[in-house]
Amino acid sequence: MNDNPSNDQEMTLVQHLVELRDRVLRIVLFILVIFCGLFYFANDIYTFVSEPLQNLLPENSTMIATEVASPFLTPFKLTFFLALFLSMPFVLYQIWSFISPALYHQERRLAVPILISSILLFYAGMAFAYFVVFPLIFGFFTSVGPTNVTVMTDISSYLDFVLKLFFAFGLAFEIPIAAVILIVAGVISPEGLAQKRPYIIVGCFVFGMLLTPPDIMSQSLLALPMWLLFEVGLLFGRILSRAPKESRLED
């Protein structure tokens, strides 16, 4: 069995720094290209992102801009973050290409599906937030205010709010990846992680309580998927924890 992480010739520190610089420049250039392609549609993108709230506003109510530059800067900011999110597969590929020569064969074989799964789950978390959570949150917020108060949300404040939720739900959907990594890395055994299930469930509901309106239905819509994702991660962790023993026999 070959324990060397890579068969390539060892690179000097300067060569590593040059490669790192080149990959960072590729990442920046890729993001800029995506951003330039999307910027023409910046206002349409913002309209799409704001639809969950716009659809619930009173008939004569609209979103407003309280700062002079907000009508330009807010769609600009949203387009940049969208370009960054869409570029994540390329960004992670560049990171993977940089660190993969230092990994062992078994680590490489596990890293690729973990990277792909983490990207898909992050996107799934954002989609879940947009299509499920946003209508619930905004429906609650727009219905509890005094009847003599007209809801007119600032576009910049709305964007900051939804970006935080996108990021939070994207991270929440990374629970299976975190569970698999903890098990495969030997930080905790599948049995030990399973024993912490009651704490995980409570944590899911606390997380759901902090991010959703104060009603049991909304909290459950976030907490239950997080719990199920934890169980999925635990299941795959059990499977993968047995794989290294078999692969060592093959090597």
Side-chain angles (χ1 to χ4, degrees):
M1 181 176 64
N2 185 14
D3 289 335
N4 292 327
S6 174
N7 293 325
D8 298 333
Q9 293 183 349
E10 188 174 340
M11 297 174 62
T12 65
L13 176 60
V14 174
Q15 289 174 318
H16 280 298
L17 293 176
V18 171
E19 182 185 1
L20 178 61
R21 181 205 61 186
D22 292 342
R23 296 195 181 279
V24 170
L25 289 176
R26 292 174 193 170
I27 291 172
V28 173
L29 181 60
F30 189 85
I31 294 175
L32 288 176
V33 170
I34 298 295
F35 173 79
C36 292
L38 293 174
F39 185 69
Y40 178 80
F41 307 98
N43 291 333
D44 296 328
I45 294 171
Y46 188 88
T47 299
F48 175 78
V49 172
S50 63
E51 277 184 0
L53 178 60
Q54 293 271 26
N55 294 336
L56 296 169
L57 290 177
E59 185 176 350
N60 297 323
S61 178
T62 62
M63 300 183 72
I64 62 174
T66 58
E67 297 180 4
V68 176
S70 292
F72 171 78
L73 292 180
T74 302
F76 181 94
K77 179 180 178 180
L78 174 60
T79 306
F80 173 77
F81 277 100
L82 179 60
L84 183 61
F85 287 146
L86 293 179
S87 302
M88 286 311 297
F90 181 80
V91 173
L92 292 177
Y93 170 76
Q94 293 298 321
I95 296 174
W96 162 252
S97 299
F98 180 73
I99 67 174
S100 61
L103 300 178
Y104 292 96
H105 173 71
Q106 180 64 20
E107 294 171 334
R108 293 183 188 179
R109 192 166 66 178
L110 290 175
V112 173
I114 285 177
L115 285 175
I116 295 174
S117 300
S118 64
I119 294 172
L120 295 177
L121 285 171
F122 190 85
Y123 288 160
M126 293 176 61
F128 182 81
Y130 180 84
F131 291 105
V132 178
V133 178
F134 285 3
L136 289 172
I137 291 179
F138 299 140
F140 173 79
F141 287 156
T142 55
S143 63
V144 297
T147 56
N148 61 339
V149 174
T150 302
V151 179
M152 300 179 69
T153 304
D154 176 62
I155 60 174
S156 180
S157 299
Y158 174 83
L159 178 61
D160 292 339
F161 180 78
V162 298
L163 285 178
K164 290 177 183 177
L165 287 182
F166 276 140
F167 188 71
F169 277 83
L171 287 181
F173 272 60
E174 297 295 328
I175 289 177
I177 304 301
V180 168
I181 291 176
L182 288 174
I183 293 173
V184 173
V187 176
I188 189 171
S189 66
E191 293 74 19
L193 191 59
Q195 291 176 357
K196 299 184 183 299
R197 183 180 285 109
Y199 304 101
I200 299 295
I201 296 173
V202 172
C204 289
F205 277 92
V206 170
F207 195 70
M209 178 184 66
L210 295 175
L211 288 180
T212 60
D215 63 90
I216 189 64
M217 183 185 70
S218 301
Q219 295 172 17
S220 300
L221 283 173
L222 175 59
L224 291 178
M226 291 174 63
W227 178 18
L228 293 176
L229 289 168
F230 164 75
E231 298 295 342
V232 170
L234 182 60
L235 174 62
F236 279 95
R238 292 181 190 275
I239 296 172
L240 293 175
S241 64
R242 304 186 186 98
K245 298 178 182 179
E246 298 174 359
S247 64
R248 290 191 191 103
L249 294 177
E250 295 175 0
D251 292 341

